[in-house]
Amino acid sequence: MSAPTVVVGTIGSDAHVIGVTLLKHALEEAGFEVRNLGAQTSPESFVAEADETDADAILVSSLYGHAEQDCEGLHERLADAGVDPVTYIGGNLAVGQTEFEVVRQRFREMGFDRVFETEADLDAVVDVLQSELRVDEQVSRSVRASL
Ligand code: B12
């Protein structure tokens, strides 16, 4: 079975690449095939890369406080392209001191499967992603088996 493919990058005009670089290393160490789009990646580029690589997941990073505007339309574009990866977002997702639960709720409404704050433990994130993709695989297997 080939390694799951994950697309990572910072979205919009965000130039903070240190977190996403650590994320890339953590994912690679866990055996993922990682496409790192680096800093200041447009939603269109995330979608194009996910489409081209048939990605299992997209992990978006944003630190500078404008993630909500930058992620506008991302999930609609994914749907238009006919791709359905798991989507996570993490970092410093709002300007100032907004309570994290409010932030999480907002990004969940926008379509993200999971939302992480800056204190997120990357090993734990990798574990969650691994089990999520395994579950998906089991689900699709059982669906295929029932056909
Ligand atoms: C270094 C830095 C910069 C550098 C970035 C260099 C680079 N190329 O990466 C420079 C000087 C360029 C910069 C610029 C700016 N910055 Co700055 N920067 C920082 C700083 C000091 C550290 C960020 C960092 O690298 N941390 C280390 C890494 C390892 O931590 P991390 O990024 O948080 O990533 C971890 C987690 O968040 C998580 N994570 C990150 N992404 C994801 C994604 C997923 C899916 C998951 C699961 C987890 C995850 O995993 C990482 C490991 O634990 C922070 C303050 C701080 N202490 O955080 C401010 C900070 C992020 N910057 C800030 C701001 C405002 C700016 C500017 C707008 C300033 C300005 N007016 O010009 C610009 C924006 C430029 C741009 N276009 O993005 C603010 C953001 C405020 C907000 N969100 O409310 C901060 C918080 C400073 C502050 N307290 O005001 N910055």
Side-chain angles (χ1 to χ4, degrees):
M1 199 181 72
S2 62
T5 301
V6 181
V7 177
V8 304
T10 73
I11 198 159
S13 299
D14 194 334
H16 297 88
V17 284
I18 299 168
V20 82
T21 305
L22 296 181
L23 187 59
K24 167 190 178 282
H25 289 305
L27 288 161
E28 282 179 344
E29 271 173 32
F32 287 89
E33 168 73 35
V34 184
R35 301 300 180 109
N36 183 7
L37 303 180
Q40 302 190 322
T41 303
S42 66
E44 292 85 349
S45 299
F46 275 101
V47 174
E49 190 70 18
D51 191 13
E52 192 175 308
T53 61
D54 194 20
D56 298 283
I58 293 179
L59 272 63
V60 174
S61 176
S62 181
L63 267 293
Y64 74 155
H66 303 289
E68 187 172 335
Q69 296 92 313
D70 291 339
C71 293
E72 206 67 62
L74 173 66
H75 289 84
E76 290 75 4
R77 286 189 174 90
L78 286 169
D80 288 348
V83 284
D84 186 24
V86 167
T87 58
Y88 290 1
I89 187 164
N92 198 335
L93 300 176
V95 176
Q97 300 295 314
T98 314
E99 197 186 323
F100 183 66
E101 275 317 309
V102 174
V103 174
R104 187 202 299 276
Q105 185 58 34
R106 178 67 196 119
F107 283 89
R108 295 279 288 122
E109 284 164 8
M110 291 174 77
F112 285 95
D113 295 297
R114 292 185 192 269
V115 184
F116 298 91
E117 49 192 333
T118 46
E119 288 78 23
D121 176 70
L122 293 186
D123 290 334
V125 172
V126 169
D127 283 350
V128 170
L129 183 61
Q130 276 177 324
S131 50
E132 193 142 37
L133 295 181
R134 232 171 268 139
V135 168
D136 281 354
E137 189 196 325
Q138 281 164 9
V139 170
S140 55
R141 259 197 214 140
S142 66
V143 169
R144 279 202 301 271
S146 70
L147 289 176

